Amino acid sequence: MARRAKFHYNQETLSFEKIELTFFALVKKVAVYLFTSLCGGFIAFLIFILFLESPQEKQLKKENIHMQAQYDLLQEQMNELQSLLTDLQQRDDNLYRVIFQADPILSEVRHRQMGNDQRYQALQNMSNSKIMVDITKQMDDLKRQTYIQFKSYDELIMLAKQNEQKLLCIPAIQPIYNKDLTRVASGYGMRIDPIYRTRKMHQGMDFTAPIGTEIFATGNGIVKEAGWRQGYGKCVKINHGFGYETLYAHMHKITARVGQSVKRGDVIGEVGNTGKSTGPHLHYEVHFKGTPVNPQNYYFLDLSPEEYDIMLQLSQNAGQVFD
Ligand SMILES: [Zn+2]
């Protein structure tokens, strides 16, 4: 097929001359043209992609930022919930379950993972699947922990009912009326002996009070001892069962008798100054399984937490032992 010839005007010869284009020259020209157009197009595309956004993209980006913020907020709330729950769990294990002598709940039980990930697979196909799976897993874990916590409280309520009798017997009030806590003279621990002036273990708590002040049984029990004992003077010992005994010493008058059944709050005698004593006071001991323990932990029916704190300070700081 004949191509249309091209001409150009030659200034020297003053005539038109035909331009001969070889096939390869033509191909080259087309290729260069195509290449430059492509490059130009590509650069324009890049600029468009990198620096310009469509309104939809802008909207999506906005929504994404908004969603991320909501997710962060949700995560924060979940963390807060988790820390509240952890607090409850720690109190449960270290306080409530200890009181009722129940074993703490193992961490593996509290945090056992769900058996399979099938329940999360449906979420995998969603956009933002990682966020959805993470949140759902955390929610499931929180739900599970809460359920176990409820179960633990149920168990404690049951134990508490069983322990009702025990709670009536365990020493749980102060042995004399001392609502304002002005009668605590000295607590349990190493103290200077008031007579020999040497450091010695003080196995009970001293309450100062005038002679004749009423002394109460601090829990239900049976009077085991009521009479004179070397050093202790006139004293009473009550067996409360469950391993607990209490001892009341230096009494002026004993009103309980051996074998008598007493209830918490019953008067068993009066404060005195008998035996090895440097002034009218009551020396009070709590024994658990035959060993003296610190009585300050056995006023829980008598003292509010604030009063208990004051009592702790008083019994630790007060140096005056009456023995
Ligand atoms: Zn004492």
Side-chain angles (χ1 to χ4, degrees):
M1 203 175 80
R3 274 190 300 109
R4 192 144 37 103
K6 281 198 174 179
F7 297 89
H8 80 104
Y9 184 73
N10 188 325
Q11 298 276 345
E12 286 169 19
T13 58
L14 302 175
S15 65
F16 284 99
E17 286 174 356
K18 199 175 173 181
I19 300 168
E20 293 293 343
L21 267 179
T22 65
F23 177 69
F24 287 112
L26 186 71
V27 166
K28 196 175 144 195
K29 207 172 172 180
V30 168
V32 167
Y33 175 73
L34 275 178
F35 181 73
T36 45
S37 319
L38 271 176
C39 283
F42 184 66
I43 287 162
F45 179 68
L46 270 184
I47 288 168
F48 181 75
I49 288 293
L50 290 177
F51 303 109
L52 301 170
E53 286 169 346
S54 70
Q56 286 103 319
E57 273 179 317
K58 270 185 189 157
Q59 185 60 29
L60 276 176
K61 226 174 205 178
K62 230 176 174 178
E63 277 172 20
N64 253 339
I65 290 167
H66 190 57
M67 218 166 79
Q68 185 65 44
Q70 278 185 326
Y71 168 70
D72 291 344
L73 198 68
L74 191 61
Q75 187 64 56
E76 216 171 276
Q77 286 173 337
M78 295 239 271
N79 291 346
E80 247 169 64
L81 262 182
Q82 181 60 69
S83 75
L84 278 175
L85 200 47
T86 305
D87 185 45
L88 285 179
Q89 290 165 346
Q90 279 168 354
R91 281 175 201 228
D92 190 29
D93 283 342
N94 302 329
L95 191 64
Y96 308 138
R97 295 184 72 85
V98 170
I99 289 172
F100 294 107
Q101 284 155 11
D103 291 328
I105 296 173
L106 294 175
S107 159
E108 297 94 273
V109 175
R110 289 197 190 272
H111 297 278
R112 189 174 292 151
Q113 291 298 310
M114 294 293 163
N116 54 42
D117 278 353
Q118 258 182 7
R119 41 189 290 115
Y120 307 118
Q121 241 143 45
L123 300 168
Q124 299 281 10
N125 303 326
M126 298 176 73
S127 56
N128 298 310
S129 67
K130 192 179 174 315
I131 289 178
M132 295 304 288
V133 169
D134 280 355
I135 293 262
T136 312
K137 274 186 176 167
Q138 285 181 58
M139 290 271 231
D140 284 348
D141 191 36
L142 281 173
K143 264 193 264 173
R144 188 188 158 74
Q145 290 179 59
T146 311
Y147 176 75
I148 287 172
Q149 195 52 50
F150 271 117
K151 281 296 196 197
S152 171
Y153 288 144
D154 284 349
E155 191 192 339
L156 289 183
I157 287 168
M158 196 193 70
L159 284 170
K161 279 183 181 153
Q162 279 174 9
N163 277 329
E164 215 164 344
Q165 186 56 33
K166 191 172 166 184
L167 286 174
L168 288 174
C169 294
I170 289 178
I173 59 168
Q174 297 181 85
I176 62 169
Y177 183 80
N178 183 30
K179 201 62 202 152
D180 53 4
L181 298 174
T182 53
R183 303 209 170 281
V184 180
S186 179
Y188 175 96
M190 293 304 286
R191 295 290 187 279
I192 303 285
D193 185 285
I195 292 168
Y196 302 116
R197 292 281 143 201
T198 50
R199 275 175 74 79
K200 204 183 127 207
M201 183 64 189
H202 186 234
Q203 296 188 322
M205 203 165 206
D206 288 347
F207 294 87
T208 52
I211 290 179
T213 306
E214 289 178 324
I215 300 171
F216 311 121
T218 54
N220 296 2
I222 309 283
V223 177
K224 190 180 168 185
E225 236 184 278
W228 186 274
R229 209 207 266 195
Q230 185 62 40
Y232 287 92
K234 283 186 186 171
C235 66
V236 167
K237 193 174 205 183
I238 298 172
N239 180 7
H240 301 279
F242 305 98
Y244 288 96
E245 287 179 332
T246 48
L247 181 76
Y248 312 78
H250 312 301
M251 290 161 77
H252 173 65
K253 193 172 154 194
I254 296 172
T255 54
R257 51 174 213 287
V258 174
Q260 185 189 339
S261 166
V262 289
K263 293 219 176 318
R264 178 178 293 140
D266 283 354
V267 175
I268 55 165
E270 295 171 1
V271 170
N273 190 22
T274 57
K276 183 177 166 247
S277 172
T278 55
H281 80 288
L282 170 68
H283 172 89
Y284 173 64
E285 291 183 11
V286 176
H287 296 197
F288 182 61
K289 293 182 177 168
T291 310
V293 290
N294 195 337
Q296 77 190 5
N297 300 320
Y298 294 92
Y299 303 128
F300 49 86
L301 289 184
D302 223 5
L303 302 180
S304 69
E306 292 77 20
E307 289 166 338
Y308 175 76
D309 283 343
I310 296 170
M311 160 79 89
L312 282 192
Q313 283 173 12
L314 285 172
S315 69
Q316 277 158 16
N317 295 337
Q320 183 63 44
V321 185
F322 292 84
D323 224 5

